[in-house]
Amino acid sequence: MTQRVLVAAELKNLLDSAELAGLDVTWISSEQPTPKGDFVAVVPLLSRWIGGTELKHLPNLRIVANVAVGYNNVDVVAAEMRKVVVTNTPGVLTDATADLTWALILATTRRLIEGVDLVRTGKWTGWHPEQLLGLELRGRTLGLFGAGRIGQAVGRRAPGFGLRILYTARSAKSEFEAETGAIRVEQSRLLRESDILSLHVPASPETKGVINAESLARMKPGAILINTARGDLVREEALAEALESGHLGAAGLDVYTEEPAIHPRLLAAPRTVLLPHIGSATEETRRKMATIAIANVQSVLSGRPPLTPVY
Ligand code: NAP
């Protein structure tokens, strides 16, 4: 018997027919509201909110297979109350996101975008000993705000650049510490000592707005903020202010509070590298994310446990 499932239309080219065997798929694009009906599974992108109302309108739903590791677009409490399983796509996107975090670290510390602009606008007049001087990495401190899969992967790439690593996490990571020399510290020390502060905690009520005017003021003058986690972690107005005043040296952002809208002050802020949420955007990773989401659906619908439940 085929089972009716809702799948994000943007995944069409990333899945093959064998993976979808036995499923009666209704493809939904991002612009469409979530349909009502007797669907047993939904496979949403992170831009689709699945909350109490959506769950009420899908009374036969058994699984929400989110195509992301973050699942702040799903009301997990409402889902649990309705006995709907929620899954995510952990692990497969760790390296891609860590690599992109490094792209932002290097782009901000070495002022890549300003350099590209100089060349493209024809304003480059030749080698100058004081042109576009950046921040040397060796001997500096990388602060990881969160050291789960992605935070640790970012940290593992740091010793090659000669960086010292500080990190915060709810629990100590002894293997990571042994491998990289990373030191677990309180949030206040992380803010005070990091030359580059990189965010890797999930968006949740506890972490919302954790980077705000007060925490930014406690950062080192000239420090650089990198966010490849979630926009909700940062008060964007306060970040723009810190960049405009020159207190922060630069910011590299992949994620925003109101995606795809970007705060106008951030768009205009100096020394800011802004990317369109492409942390996991490699061919291999995006295929694996789609595959895991559908495998979770197949598993739950055939009475087996989910492969990657979020709780
Ligand atoms: P993870 O393995 O679950 O790691 C999360 C880390 O945050 C852990 O160190 C955890 O501490 C810490 N943490 C969780 N809740 C916290 C809290 N309330 N206060 C302080 N620390 C807390 O997750 P991940 O796979 O590394 O992914 C991290 C985030 O990256 C995701 O949630 C997602 O939002 C984002 N992401 C973005 C992209 C992108 O395209 N830009 C791609 C992938 C992921 P413990 O280890 O002690 O539990």
Side-chain angles (χ1 to χ4, degrees), residues 254-269:
D254 186 42
V255 287
Y256 311 88
T257 312
E258 302 283 346
E259 294 177 16
I262 298 190
H263 194 295
R265 277 179 75 183
L266 273 186
L267 272 178

Side-chain angles (χ1 to χ4, degrees), residues 16-85:
D16 59 45
S17 51
E19 291 174 288
L20 299 169
L23 304 177
D24 175 4
V25 176
T26 298
W27 299 100
I28 40 165
S29 67
S30 294
E31 305 80 55
Q32 270 176 270
T34 305
K36 304 173 184 182
D38 60 354
F39 300 97
V40 290
V42 58
V43 183
L45 304 183
L46 50 78
S47 47
R48 182 175 298 278
W49 171 246
I50 304 286
T53 308
E54 290 72 17
L55 292 165
K56 194 171 87 188
H57 291 155
L58 297 167
N60 295 348
L61 201 66
R62 293 170 61 190
I63 174 170
V64 179
N66 208 39
V67 189
V69 68
Y71 47 87
N72 50 310
N73 59 306
V74 182
D75 184 341
V76 288
V77 176
E80 199 173 7
M81 276 165 58
R82 290 182 167 266
K83 299 202 172 9
V84 172
V85 172

Side-chain angles (χ1 to χ4, degrees), residues 73-121:
N73 59 306
V74 182
D75 184 341
V76 288
V77 176
E80 199 173 7
M81 276 165 58
R82 290 182 167 266
K83 299 202 172 9
V84 172
V85 172
V86 180
T87 62
N88 62 348
T89 63
V92 292
L93 39 60
T94 298
D95 280 330
T97 309
D99 288 347
L100 190 91
T101 304
W102 272 97
L104 282 173
I105 292 173
L106 292 169
T108 47
T109 54
R110 299 305 301 274
R111 306 175 63 179
L112 292 201
I113 305 302
E114 290 164 84
V116 170
D117 284 349
L118 199 65
V119 172
R120 284 197 187 281
T121 55

Side-chain angles (χ1 to χ4, degrees), residues 69-72 90-91 93-94 97 100 145-151 168-171 173 200-204 206-207 228-230 254-255 277-280 286:
V69 68
Y71 47 87
N72 50 310
L93 39 60
T94 298
T97 309
L100 190 91
F145 196 102
R149 289 168 293 246
I150 298 169
T168 57
R170 293 173 302 187
S171 55
K173 315 291 175 198
H200 301 290
V201 293
S204 70
E206 302 91 70
T207 60
T228 59
R230 282 289 182 269
D254 186 42
V255 287
H277 201 149
I278 53 170
S280 63
R286 287 285 163 84

